[in-house]
Structure formats: structure tokens, C-alpha cells
Amino acid sequence: MSSPALVRHPEDGMPTASIAEAGPVPAVTPAAAPTSFGALMLRWYRLNQGRLRATAIGIISLLAFLLVWHLLTTYRVVFFVRFTNVPSPLAVYASFVKAIHDPKFLMHVLLSCRRIFFGFSLAAIVGVPLGLIMGRFKLVHEIIFPVAEVLRPIPAIAWVPMAIMLWPTNEQSIVYITFLGSFFPILVNTLHGMSLVDPVLVRAAQCLGARERSIFREVYFPASLPHIFTGLTVGMGVAWVSLIAAEMISGQYGIGYFTWEAYSLVQYADIALGMIAIGVLGLGSSLLIRGAGQLVMPWRST
Amino acid sequence: MSEVLAAKPKGHIEVKNFSLAYETIEGPVQAVTDTQIHVNPGEFVSIVGPSGCGKSTLLNAVAGFLKPTTGIVTVDGERVNGPSAERGMVFQQYSLFPWKTVRENVEFGLKMRGMPRSQRERAARTLLGLAGLEAFEKHYPERLSGGMKQRVGIVRALATGPKVLLLDEPFGALDAQTRVIMQQILTNMWQRLKISVLFVTHDIDEAIFLSDRVYCMTARPGSIKAEIPIPLERPRQQSMMMSSEFLALRRGLMSLIREESLKAMGGEINDLGMQGLSIELQGHSLADVI
């Protein structure tokens, strides 16, 4: 039984080659023959036909929305809903052109973004690790979960008076409200992800010599990542909701305040501009999170 | 590398006076009772038995996931106290880490041991080459077929150079053709590495074809009903499965298992009878019909 190391003796037993042949053979793409540019374009078109169609329909439906809006406002339709004072798309566009040359508008946008950045980042920095630890250690879960369950149903807006009392500056209380809004979705989804980690994967790691800390880093954390990112996406949405409400009530700057102020000052076009700006910013920030998710979880993009 | 793949018999598994009971509200439920098994260094041993007989429970106790209620489990004289890289395990559900590439999966055990990156990359590549998977080292497991996943699973378990390899119905989810190929690959690796293998399956042909010895378990609570040496010569060929020797072994094991399966199912079949859905026995005994 003194067989030498097998690396040097691939011929004994079943040859390596036969193992390789035994399994499914990798699909080898044949060296592509040089094709003309036109043929390439045609192939690209065929492969992306579905996506192109979706894009085209999306653009058409957006244009139709603008057209309906335009017609409703130019003819000042009153049919249960009153469009008499609603600004037309052209009026909103005019105020948009004016706004982008106005440093005050840009400051409103930047301030809102900064509040989202701080509030949301804090929520992620606290919520994700806390969820991971609560998911792993029963005692921590038992201590923190009841408190979280009591606080969770309170809408962030209901926190506004309390936040103003708690924090010395207006800025801090608004960031705090934003933090609260995104914190609970992040925490709950991280917890959910932890509860769904396949125990067989943990066993597999243990059999390969992994200790507690490595299992946490190499199994629990990556296994929970998809749910963590769901939490971040939902949290980002709620962060914007909370921010705008807080700005409307207690702000002096910010896009929410801008929108509310426009109403007080009877600048109706600016109301719509503020709303659209909020929508675009919300969309942009959730796209950022989705992009980050694809970057962090390359195994999920097929 | 030579350390990982050194060919020296090792891994003597001993399970003595073993029993294991689960606690439930109605009191302890005995899963396995009064069981003794052993695997000699370098031996290939299978455990077969009707479903629910506790064969996986026994294997999980050897792996260190379950503590025996009574008795002890030792490997090379050392008592098993928990999972360790000394006992590699292959699972039916493959259980590859989806967030790691094929090579990273194979490297995992070496990484846990603190081997430097370049060294473990080289080791993983060599092992993947032996399993014909070098072209897939950068793929994520999701994109592999079942047979390829399980090859990665086996290679991953062997990468740390364990003393024993434990397999829990590893080919149960594969189609018949792939299963035969996987059996060849497993036999091949086992013969090169000279490590002990404890293999749990419900497939009698598979158990005979692969093993030096087969333990047959009784219905729950499980214990060893019979120990059958398999004297077929090695290397074994697919054609042997038609030999009279093989078929005789198969018949013997079949009837042992059937007895136990009937015992396990007896209650259910009687229940059906009570509801007027009984199988018409026409004077035959239940065993004859089934």
C-alpha cells in the first residue's frame, strides 16, 4: 500500500482524461468567423429585441402622459378634479430652466441629498450589523426585538415633534427622521435574511474547519446579502418619504421645503417641479443601490 | 500538494454502543439504538436501510453534528466532539457556497487552515484538474449541472486531506447515467487517496458496487441488522453488475431491506385497510404482494 503521491502518477487507476470526458463537456464556442458590421448589428438587434421593444413602449407611454397632462391643463378641465390651477408641462419646463440657473434651487436639492446620505448611511451602518448580530445571537435578539417591534409601527412623521425636542438643531432632527425611516426596513430585512440561511451550508463550512467568526463572515453574511439589499432598497424609499415630510414640517431648506414654499407663494409651476425633482432623486438613489448590489453580488447576475 | 494527496491508509472509524434519541414533547424518540460499526483504514463501507431508519443520523454523529445519547464515536482513537476538517463530508444537496466560484469553494478548507492564497490556488487547480473541472474554476455553482456540482462537492471535501470521507446519499439527486459516472469517479479518487469512506445510500446496487462491506440497518429505531462483506474484486467494472455473484448479493440485501421496509410501512398499510382501501391480498401474504 505504499503508492506514491498521485500527482506524479496520473496513469495509475482511472486516467485523468477519462474523468474529464466522463462529465458534461464544456461548450466550446467556435472561433467566430469574421462577420460584416451589418450582420453584427442584425444579430445584436435580434438578441435585444425584447429590451428595445420595452424601451420604445416606455418612451411612448411617458410621452402620452405628458400629452394628457398638457391637454388637461390647457383646457382647464374640471371633472370632479380641478385642473384650473394646475401648471402645464410647458410652464413646469420654463420654471425648471429658470431653476437650474438659480443657485438657491440647487442648494435645496443638495441639502436634501446630504440629509439622505447621512440619514440613510447611518441607518445602514447601524441596521445591517445589528440585524446580523441579532440573527446570530439569540440573547441579543430577545433583548432588542421587543423594543424594535414597539417602535417600528410609529411612522417617521410622528417623530417630528419628538425629534425637534431631542436634537439641538433642525438639521440634526431631520437627519434623525430620515435615519428612522430607513432603519427599520433595513433591520427587518437583514434579520429575515439571517433566518433563511441554509443550515446545511453552515454544516459544510464547519466540516471544512471553519470557526464561528469565519462562518459569520463567509456564510451568514454573504447568504444574507440579497435580503440586506432588499432592505436597503426599501429603506431608501422610506428615507425619501420621511425626509420630505420632515422638510415640509420643520425645514428651512431642502426640496420638500421648496415644494411646500412654492404652494405658499402661489408659484404653482414650482410645486410640480419640486415633485418631479423628488421623483427623479428617489429613482436615482434606488438605481445606485441596485448597481451596488450587482457589484457586491456578482453570483446573482446571470 | 504531496501532503494533501499522500497515499497512506488512515482513518479508523469506531462507533461503539451507540444510541441517539431526540427530545420531543411526548418524550425521547429513539432514532438509533445499540449500534456498533467500524471502518478500517482505507476501507469503503456503506450503510443501507429503509428510509427513516437513522442512517443519516448515524453519519451525522460521525461527522460531529449530533452528540450520541450513549456510546462513543472515535476516529483513529480520538473521540469525536464536533465537526472538523479531519472528517470531510459530502451532502446530497451539494451545499456549495453559491457566492463562491468553483475554485473558491474548493479553496475554502485550505483558507480556513490559513494557507496563503497563491498556494491554495495552486492546490485547488490541481484537484479540479483531477476531477476534469479546470475549465469551470471561475464559474459560480449555479451554472453547473448536478453531476458537476457534486464533483466540486467531493473535491472540496478532499482538499484539506481528511482522514475519512463521509457521504450522505451524495448521488441521490442525480440521473442514472450521471450516477454511474460519479460512482466511477468516487471509486477512482478513493483508490488513489487510500482514505476511509463511510457512504450512506438507499440504493442497494450502488452500495454493492462501491463497497468493501455493507451494513444493513433495521427500521426505526435503527440498529445494525446485518453486516455483509462484498468480495467482488477490484477494479470493478460496470459489467460486474450482471454477474451471478453480484446478483446473489443483491438478492440477499434486497430481502433484508424489504423486511425492514415492510415493518416501517406496516402501520400505514393497515390504516389503509381500515378505510376500506385495502390492497386485495387474495390469500397471499403482504410480503408476497409487495
Side-chain angles (χ1 to χ4, degrees):
Chain A
M1 286 306 219
S2 61
S3 174
L6 83 119
V7 193
R8 273 177 270 147
H9 284 260
E11 70 273 15
D12 64 20
M14 189 176 163
T16 315
S18 65
I19 308 179
E21 280 160 16
V25 179
V28 181
T29 38
T35 37
S36 71
F37 181 72
L40 263 173
M41 284 304 287
L42 197 71
R43 199 182 298 165
W44 181 86
Y45 170 74
R46 251 190 239 133
L47 279 170
N48 293 289
Q49 214 170 1
R51 217 180 302 163
L52 284 172
R53 202 183 92 121
T55 313
I57 292 177
I59 289 169
I60 291 168
S61 99
L62 280 174
L63 288 175
F65 174 80
L66 281 176
L67 182 70
V68 171
W69 176 13
H70 177 76
L71 292 174
L72 286 172
T73 47
T74 39
Y75 293 103
R76 303 190 183 280
V77 174
V78 177
F79 181 72
F80 294 108
V81 190
R82 300 158 298 151
F83 286 91
T84 15
N85 286 326
V86 175
S88 71
L90 288 171
V92 175
Y93 180 72
S95 79
F96 168 71
V97 172
K98 206 175 76 200
I100 51 167
H101 296 295
D102 179 7
K104 220 171 159 204
F105 176 76
L106 294 179
M107 193 189 58
H108 284 304
V109 170
L110 280 178
L111 260 171
S112 287
C113 288
R114 203 181 73 172
R115 287 165 180 164
I116 285 287
F117 177 77
F118 284 122
F120 177 79
S121 303
L122 272 174
I125 289 166
V126 178
V128 172
L130 186 63
L132 292 172
I133 291 168
M134 280 169 75
R136 191 75 191 95
F137 303 104
K138 235 179 166 180
L139 182 67
V140 183
H141 189 278
E142 285 161 354
I143 292 170
I144 294 177
F145 193 68
V147 183
E149 277 302 276
V150 171
L151 294 181
R152 192 162 65 99
I154 302 172
I157 311 164
W159 275 92
V160 171
M162 182 66 82
I164 294 170
M165 289 197 295
L166 277 172
W167 297 91
T169 70
N170 227 356
E171 192 61 28
Q172 285 165 343
S173 58
I174 293 176
V175 169
Y176 176 68
I177 303 259
T178 315
F179 162 84
L180 276 178
S182 46
F183 175 72
F184 288 108
I186 293 172
L187 178 70
V188 169
N189 278 286
T190 306
L191 265 176
H192 184 59
M194 285 295 281
S195 71
L196 293 179
V197 175
D198 187 353
V200 180
L201 290 180
V202 178
R203 287 185 167 197
Q206 287 173 329
C207 272
L208 293 164
R211 302 278 171 79
E212 184 63 39
R213 194 189 280 196
S214 307
I215 292 173
F216 199 85
R217 195 183 58 229
E218 305 268 359
V219 182
Y220 278 104
F221 180 60
S224 306
L225 268 178
H227 286 94
I228 291 175
F229 270 90
T230 306
L232 292 176
T233 312
V234 177
M236 182 56 97
V238 184
W240 276 103
V241 172
S242 317
L243 172 82
I244 299 302
E247 282 179 348
M248 283 187 169
I249 294 170
S250 71
Q252 285 157 340
Y253 297 103
I255 195 70
Y257 175 76
F258 171 87
T259 308
W260 189 251
E261 189 196 39
Y263 176 72
S264 319
L265 299 178
V266 209
Q267 285 166 343
Y268 294 140
D270 282 352
I271 296 179
L273 178 64
M275 288 169 67
I276 292 170
I278 293 164
V280 169
L281 289 172
L283 182 70
S285 44
S286 44
L287 283 179
L288 271 180
I289 291 179
R290 201 190 296 175
Q294 277 169 358
L295 220 64
V296 176
M297 303 181 287
W299 69 92
R300 304 234 335 151
S301 45
T302 39
Chain B
M1 260 341 278
S2 56
E3 181 213 352
V4 174
L5 299 172
K8 195 173 156 209
K10 56 192 168 181
H12 179 230
I13 305 173
E14 191 109 40
V15 177
K16 276 189 200 151
N17 307 321
F18 179 91
S19 80
L20 201 145
Y22 293 107
E23 287 297 332
T24 66
I25 290 183
E26 290 106 50
V29 170
Q30 207 69 28
V32 181
T33 58
D34 189 29
T35 292
Q36 343 276 335
I37 64 166
H38 69 278
V39 179
N40 295 320
E43 196 181 18
F44 198 123
V45 175
S46 290
I47 304 175
V48 296
S51 52
C53 71
K55 48 194 194 292
S56 290
T57 306
L58 186 54
L59 193 77
N60 278 320
V62 177
F65 295 128
L66 298 172
K67 293 241 176 305
T69 311
T70 64
I72 64 163
V73 178
T74 60
V75 173
D76 287 346
E78 272 177 55
R79 194 179 181 138
V80 168
N81 277 324
S84 122
E86 284 193 346
R87 280 158 278 125
M89 183 129 177
V90 178
F91 304 84
Q92 183 180 358
Q93 316 90 316
Y94 318 124
S95 70
L96 303 178
F97 304 119
W99 45 85
K100 289 182 181 293
T101 62
V102 165
R103 197 188 67 214
E104 286 166 347
N105 263 283
V106 174
E107 277 177 34
F108 187 83
L110 301 171
K111 186 178 176 184
M112 291 302 107
R113 203 200 265 167
M115 187 186 274
R117 181 185 290 262
S118 61
Q119 214 176 325
R120 63 176 196 252
E121 265 185 36
R122 218 174 323 129
R125 282 215 183 91
T126 312
L127 283 162
L128 284 169
L130 290 173
L133 288 164
E134 64 270 72
F136 298 94
E137 61 164 332
K138 290 205 173 75
H139 286 222
Y140 286 105
E142 198 197 10
R143 292 176 55 194
L144 305 183
S145 69
M148 284 156 82
K149 280 183 194 164
Q150 200 53 297
R151 271 189 278 164
V152 177
I154 294 171
V155 168
R156 182 179 70 174
L158 290 173
T160 48
K163 288 178 175 175
V164 299
L165 186 62
L166 311 170
L167 301 101
D168 191 1
E169 304 207 18
F171 309 142
L174 302 177
D175 61 79
Q177 289 86 347
T178 312
R179 189 183 298 200
V180 170
I181 294 161
M182 293 298 295
Q183 289 166 358
Q184 295 274 9
I185 291 172
L186 178 64
T187 312
N188 179 33
M189 290 201 155
W190 164 70
Q191 280 179 331
R192 289 171 177 211
L193 298 172
K194 306 273 190 288
I195 68 169
S196 321
V197 173
L198 187 57
F199 189 97
V200 163
T201 180
H202 60 259
D203 183 334
I204 293 169
D205 289 337
E206 183 170 78
I208 300 171
F209 183 71
L210 291 172
S211 311
D212 296 322
R213 221 149 31 86
V214 176
Y215 285 108
C216 177
M217 283 184 82
T218 64
R220 175 173 283 226
S223 59
I224 301 300
K225 185 184 176 78
E227 178 188 342
I228 300 122
I230 309 293
L232 301 173
E233 62 189 48
R234 291 188 188 272
R236 292 184 185 160
Q237 311 294 336
Q238 207 57 40
S239 56
M240 280 179 166
M241 296 182 94
M242 291 298 154
S243 70
S244 56
E245 214 181 346
F246 189 98
L247 292 175
L249 285 164
R250 185 172 191 270
R251 253 196 311 279
L253 259 170
M254 261 320 194
S255 65
L256 285 172
I257 299 231
R258 191 162 54 182
E259 265 175 51
E260 291 307 317
S261 299
L262 282 175
K263 243 187 253 171
M265 289 169 57
E268 291 166 39
I269 290 174
N270 287 338
D271 287 347
L272 286 178
M274 302 280 281
Q275 294 160 19
L277 300 167
S278 91
I279 306 155
E280 194 55 64
L281 293 178
Q282 293 176 328
H284 296 287
S285 77
L286 195 56
D288 288 336
V289 176
I290 297 176

